[in-house]
Amino acid sequence: IYKEYKGTRQKMPEELIPQFDLLKTLLCAMNIAIYEVDGYEADDILGTFARIAYETDMEALLVTGDRDVLQLVSPNTRVLITQKGISNVRVFDIDEVKKEYGLTPAQIIDLKALMGDSSDNIPGVPGIGEKTALKLLHRYGTVEGIYEHLNEITSKLGEKLRENRSLADL
């Protein structure tokens, strides 16, 4: 859909590449399953696991440093965000997402749509950062809700939203 998706991501450091085989050997020795699917990213696999956990009423704990994954939090899925290596972590459940952002996990998608995500080269609406995106979502609920009430948003912000609807939808 978006050819520039992850277009600014730097190449993996060469010294990291040989560490993957060592890590896989270690995980196998610890009897920890490894899942890889050609053509899919780790986030795709995590999303699949979260969906399966929800549908089968199984508990899931996803461990990542990527806050995008907070959209997967459900009654069955918690996300453990690594904040500084593995020594400082934070567990997000539905209440913790609400406490941190004042949003539901599903609204994390709307947050990223508005503010973008430089790590994935998702543009968002130019000039809208996290603070403004949160303010809009707290008032209107979703990107769709914002655009349904666009006539209420005057000033430069309304102009930015009008001019960049396609980027918010993307």
Side-chain angles (χ1 to χ4, degrees), residues 18 23 29 32 64 74 99 102 144 156:
L23 178 60
I32 296 175
T64 181
S74 74
K99 179 180 164 187
E144 188 176 292
K156 202 101 171 134

Side-chain angles (χ1 to χ4, degrees), residues 32-33 45-47 49-54 58-65 69-70 72-82 89-94 96:
I32 296 175
I45 296 170
L46 289 175
F49 284 148
R51 180 183 50 79
I52 291 168
Y54 183 78
M58 190 181 351
E59 293 290 319
L61 178 64
L62 308 178
V63 182
T64 181
V69 176
L70 294 177
L72 302 175
V73 169
S74 74
N76 300 70
T77 299
R78 294 175 299 142
V79 173
L80 194 151
I81 297 284
T82 55
V89 296
R90 185 168 172 195
V91 178
F92 282 85
D93 58 12
I94 293 171
E96 197 65 19

